[in-house]
Amino acid sequence: MVTSSQGSERRSRHAVVRRGKHLTDGPYEDFSRGFAALGELALAGVQVSARATDLATGRVLFSVDDHVVMPTASIGKVLLLVEVASRLTGASPEAFTVLDRAPRDAVGDSGIWQHLQSPSLPIADLAALIGATSDNLATNVLIRYIGLEAVRARTEALGLTRTALLDLVRDHRGPDDAPQLSIGSAKELTWLFAALARGEVVSPEVSQRVVGWLSLNSDLSMVASAFGLDPLAHRMPDHNVLLMNKTGTDGGVRSEVGVLRGPRASVAYAVSTYFADTQLSSRLSVLEGMRQVGLDLLEYVH
């Protein structure tokens, strides 16, 4: 686990937000609002990493320490979904393989399977639960079936070196457990979601399946809170805005990566924060800062 002193050292090292490439050649290409918000968070001791790229051109719209490896909580579950989707290609009957939940898989927090009566669900349904509610129980059952080694191999095959799913979901992490569920850099996560959107992860079929699961995501509490979408139903364009995203939440961690499409442009983005979550005001400030980035992204695509 990261100690409070280690966390303080990390946050102090990143107390100044450094601007990366930043577009200024159009009235809707000014990301100064988001930069200012992230800068205020950094000055308050929040470790910040962010990146956004134009989906069509690959041009970097802004970046803030996007190479830094950050704890990303549930975002690493996307790597599990990629491996699952790769096994369900073509006419594979594996999508209908039914998996049982076991006492060793039990975990709290996010997800709804723990509240349902059914003790067994098909693989494809478990993946949908992860996409929709970041279901922790479904995650653990799939990890035990797929294996973390297979997920790691897939991650390496994708060329990701700063992004990984490290462990099962646990209610409590002991000294022998991985300190985080997942880690990632904004640069790699932005690439991954852009590649998913373009159908380039493993194959168009695999990419499309993962995008379909992620489009069910009901957590629009961070960057996506600025987009005005219905959190329970946004698989189709709404006011010409279409979103595919994944969030990660843990103690002191708020992270989001996604693809936002609009009538003017489309962007892939990632924003991760790591902070001392000791007061509600600190958490609310982080969420508001992420929302400000979202407002800039919305203006760019709309």
Side-chain angles (χ1 to χ4, degrees):
M1 297 293 290
V2 178
T3 66
S4 58
S5 61
Q6 288 173 326
S8 298
E9 291 175 4
R10 290 182 182 182
R11 287 188 288 272
S12 64
R13 288 200 301 267
H14 296 276
V16 177
V17 171
R18 297 191 295 274
R19 290 197 176 198
K21 298 177 182 178
H22 176 74
L23 294 183
T24 57
D25 54 353
Y28 300 104
E29 295 177 343
D30 181 4
F31 290 87
S32 58
R33 173 171 45 200
F35 270 117
L38 295 180
E40 290 178 5
L41 290 177
L43 290 173
V46 178
Q47 185 174 349
V48 174
S49 178
R51 182 181 178 92
T53 60
D54 186 286
L55 192 62
T57 66
R59 190 164 51 161
V60 180
L61 304 177
F62 72 84
S63 63
V64 177
D65 285 346
D66 59 8
H67 63 287
V68 175
V69 176
M70 299 277 284
T72 52
S74 292
I75 286 178
K77 296 172 184 177
V78 176
L79 301 171
L80 173 63
L81 294 181
V82 170
E83 177 58 21
V84 171
S86 71
R87 301 188 180 199
L88 306 184
T89 55
S92 171
E94 197 167 2
F96 302 101
T97 299
V98 175
L99 301 182
D100 299 324
R101 63 189 185 193
R104 63 178 180 171
D105 301 315
V107 65
D109 294 332
S110 64
I112 61 172
W113 193 18
Q114 61 186 309
H115 306 295
L116 302 180
Q117 295 299 309
S118 177
S120 308
L121 288 172
I123 289 177
D125 288 357
L126 297 181
L129 286 178
I130 294 172
T133 67
S134 199
D135 198 292
N136 286 337
L137 178 55
T139 298
N140 281 356
V141 171
L142 277 178
I143 287 177
R144 293 196 187 278
Y145 177 76
I146 296 292
L148 275 175
E149 285 303 319
V151 178
R152 289 170 184 154
R154 178 66 61 184
T155 302
E156 292 176 3
L158 292 174
L160 301 175
T161 61
R162 295 174 175 265
T163 300
L165 178 64
L166 300 176
D167 199 6
L168 298 164
V169 185
R170 302 180 188 273
D171 288 324
H172 305 285
R173 295 198 168 274
D176 296 328
D177 300 325
Q180 305 287 344
L181 174 61
S182 78
I183 55 173
S185 74
K187 184 175 182 179
E188 287 193 344
L189 288 170
T190 301
W191 173 86
L192 176 62
F193 269 60
L196 282 170
R198 291 193 293 262
E200 298 170 351
V201 173
V202 183
S203 70
E205 180 185 358
V206 168
S207 296
Q208 184 177 11
R209 192 182 292 270
V210 175
V211 168
W213 290 330
L214 294 176
S215 68
L216 299 169
N217 185 27
S218 58
D219 184 8
L220 307 186
S221 63
M222 303 182 203
V223 177
S225 66
F227 304 153
L229 299 173
D230 181 346
L232 301 179
H234 54 270
R235 298 195 75 186
M236 301 297 290
D238 186 355
H239 289 289
N240 294 317
V241 173
L242 183 63
L243 172 70
M244 176 260 290
N245 76 323
K246 182 74 185 77
T247 56
T249 299
D250 202 350
V253 176
R254 292 296 184 276
S255 186
E256 179 174 339
V257 56
V259 169
L260 181 68
R261 298 181 184 271
R264 183 174 177 269
S266 299
V267 296
Y269 67 89
V271 181
S272 292
T273 61
Y274 183 46
F275 60 103
D277 194 7
T278 56
Q279 300 182 36
L280 179 59
S281 58
S282 299
R283 183 187 300 175
L284 293 176
S285 294
V286 166
L287 292 174
E288 178 57 28
M290 297 179 79
R291 176 181 171 82
Q292 293 301 312
V293 175
L295 290 172
D296 281 347
L297 293 172
L298 183 63
E299 284 192 358
Y300 181 79
V301 305
H302 210 268

